[in-house]
Amino acid sequence: MKLNVGAGLAILALSAALTACGGSTGTAPETTSPAVTEGSPPASATAPAASVTPPSATQESAAVDLMTATSSAGEIVVDANGMSVYFFTKDVKDSGTSACTDACLAAWPPVTTAAETPQVEGVTGTVGTITTPDGAKQVTLNGLPLYYFAKDTKAGDILGQGVNGVWYLADPSGEMIRMGASGY
């Protein structure tokens, strides 16, 4: 009996966490998988073929937190390993906090740094940090926190572009790239 109550509470907690990450837009495409919330990708997420030119091997990427790369969405911001970074439209500029919390962070992990001041190459927007609830330094661009997309598994992936109409790639000036959105 206690096992059933515990499982029910776990499901309820997970549902609440996903809702806190953005809630459902009600416009998710038809699928046989469960409903999609704004903070989590659909189970069958696909995006246009990514054609990102990763940073060259001659760049000193180890000392750089953010740099630029060419993708099918144009010039984008990537980390030192060429992984794409995203904005969340529910974040508030210069608030010092992230609107992506709890279960949302499983799908959208924060871009973090150990540096006092994040180092950039080719990024012209204002770069800074905020402190995450666990004490890490999350990198910001123009006052907005940056995130990875868990389904981007290799340099050049841009599968998070436009997910649920609230996740967008960052351009070097610190603006959201809204073209080429996948529309999940």
Side-chain angles (χ1 to χ4, degrees), residues 12 15 29 35 42 55-56 63 65 69 87 129 131 162 166:
L12 181 60
S15 295
S56 77
D65 291 294
F87 288 119
T129 61
T131 303
V166 295

Side-chain angles (χ1 to χ4, degrees), residues 37-80:
T37 61
E38 290 174 351
S40 64
S44 61
T46 59
S51 60
V52 172
T53 305
S56 77
T58 60
Q59 293 174 327
E60 292 188 28
S61 21
V64 174
D65 291 294
L66 299 176
M67 59 182 54
T68 62
T70 302
S71 77
S72 57
E75 282 293 304
I76 63 171
V77 178
V78 298
D79 73 1

Side-chain angles (χ1 to χ4, degrees), residues 6-20:
L9 289 175
I11 291 170
L12 181 60
L14 178 59
S15 295
L18 289 174
T19 300

Side-chain angles (χ1 to χ4, degrees), residues 105-117:
L105 293 172
W108 301 94
V111 175
T112 60
T113 183
E116 285 302 315
T117 303

